[in-house]
Every structure is written in structure tokens, then in C-alpha cells.
Amino acid sequence: MSQSGNSVGKKIYELRTYSIKPTCTGKYKQLTTEKYHLRTAHSKMIGFWMTEIGGVNEAVHLWEYDDLAHRASVRSAMSKDSKWISEYASIAHQYFDKQHNELLTVPWGEIATSPSQEGGVYELRALHVGSGRSTSLLQNIKDLTSLQEEILQEKQGKLISVFSTEIGNCNIG
């Protein structure tokens, strides 16, 4: 069940972050380039990024699901996909130090699924939304809106979306 109680029948997005052992980054990139089609055969990938600033040596994936039931069926199918397990998952698992997952929804707007250019630089910005104080909440919404306007006006990039956490760290927008 979601923390906000409304993710049934609503698209959800899974943000998966893998910390890769520094000595394995090259091997991970090569394996992923060659075999990741085995994963994308199961569900829609919105984005895949490798970090260089902040949490270095991280692979960040963003996946789209119709709802929690769809996610469960995809995860079940993947657990039975012998090619996925033998050719990718069992090998990649050796390269990871840790993993962090969160389930997100889009409170307003749409997801921009095509990048403004191939490659490039992306920023993941998390805002902690305080609960219980309406002035804090209004300020945080204003911050999110001004961030979107800043990106558009300065033509610094393209806002992919604003997400709200359903399952994971609470009160992050």
C-alpha cells in the first residue's frame, strides 16, 4: 500500500539507484550496453543515467508501470526469465555495493520521455516537503514551479517531470 494511499490504478514510476563498486564501473557499463535489452523487454524505461557528481559510480534507472499490480507482474516475469537472470542480473549483481528503490507518482503534468539531446547532463533535485504546515507546503510548491520556469526560460535543459514519493523517503517532491 502506498504512503498516500492512492497508487492503485495510477501510473507509478520506480527510481532505482545502484551504487557500483569503483573497480567494476567499466564492466558494468559494458555489460549493460550489451545486455540491457533483456530488461527493457519487460517494461518501459523512462531514463538511465550514470552519475559523476554527488553519489559517484551510481546507475540511476527510472521505470514506468501502469500501477502496483503491473509492477508486480513485471517483477514476477523477470524472476522467471532465465536469459535475463543468467546473462545480466547474476553478473551485474556482483558489481553492486548497494541499491535504493523508491516508487513515485506524478502529481501534475506529464513525463517528458525524449531527452533534449542524446547524452548531456541531467540533474536530479529532491525537495523535502514539510507536512502539517500549509505555509511550508505552499512555499515548496512555489519552489517546484519556479524551478520548472527557470529551466524553460534559461533554456538550460528540459524538465523531465516533478515526482512525489509514494513508497520510499516520505515528503519528498
Side-chain angles (χ1 to χ4, degrees):
M1 178 163 178
S2 77
Q3 292 171 355
S4 67
N6 67 355
S7 63
V8 174
K10 183 177 186 179
K11 279 196 187 257
I12 60 167
Y13 300 87
E14 184 170 11
L15 183 66
R16 297 172 79 77
T17 304
Y18 296 91
S19 295
I20 302 166
K21 296 173 187 171
T23 57
C24 297
T25 303
K27 294 177 201 172
Y28 173 76
K29 286 180 181 179
Q30 181 178 351
L31 175 68
T32 300
T33 299
E34 294 170 3
K35 299 291 182 174
Y36 216 60
H37 66 279
L38 298 170
R39 171 61 182 90
T40 56
H42 288 279
S43 63
K44 181 178 179 180
M45 180 174 63
I46 300 295
F48 182 104
W49 303 274
M50 296 291 298
T51 63
E52 293 181 0
I53 299 172
V56 296
N57 300 322
E58 288 182 339
V60 180
H61 311 194
L62 184 61
W63 299 94
E64 179 181 283
Y65 300 98
D66 296 333
D67 53 27
L68 289 173
H70 179 224
R71 181 186 179 275
S73 70
V74 167
R75 302 300 300 168
S76 176
M78 288 173 54
S79 73
K80 296 171 189 156
D81 183 340
S82 60
K83 229 176 155 172
W84 161 250
I85 293 168
S86 65
E87 293 183 27
Y88 185 84
S90 63
I91 300 167
H93 186 268
Q94 304 170 57
Y95 303 151
F96 301 148
D97 269 334
K98 62 183 177 177
Q99 173 184 346
H100 179 78
N101 294 24
E102 293 185 51
L103 295 182
L104 314 169
T105 58
V106 176
W108 71 82
E110 296 179 0
I111 302 269
T113 57
S114 58
S116 54
Q117 65 184 44
E118 190 66 31
V121 176
Y122 291 82
E123 176 183 2
L124 175 63
R125 195 179 289 189
L127 298 175
H128 298 270
V129 179
S131 59
R133 292 185 356 200
S134 61
T135 54
S136 291
L137 182 58
L138 291 174
Q139 182 59 46
N140 284 311
I141 291 171
K142 182 179 177 185
D143 290 346
L144 289 172
T145 304
S146 65
L147 169 63
Q148 183 176 9
E149 290 172 4
E150 174 187 328
I151 289 170
L152 293 173
Q153 286 176 359
E154 296 182 19
K155 297 181 181 167
Q156 293 178 336
K158 182 177 183 180
L159 182 67
I160 292 176
S161 189
V162 173
F163 297 96
S164 177
T165 306
E166 290 290 315
I167 298 174
N169 294 329
C170 293
N171 301 322
I172 296 179

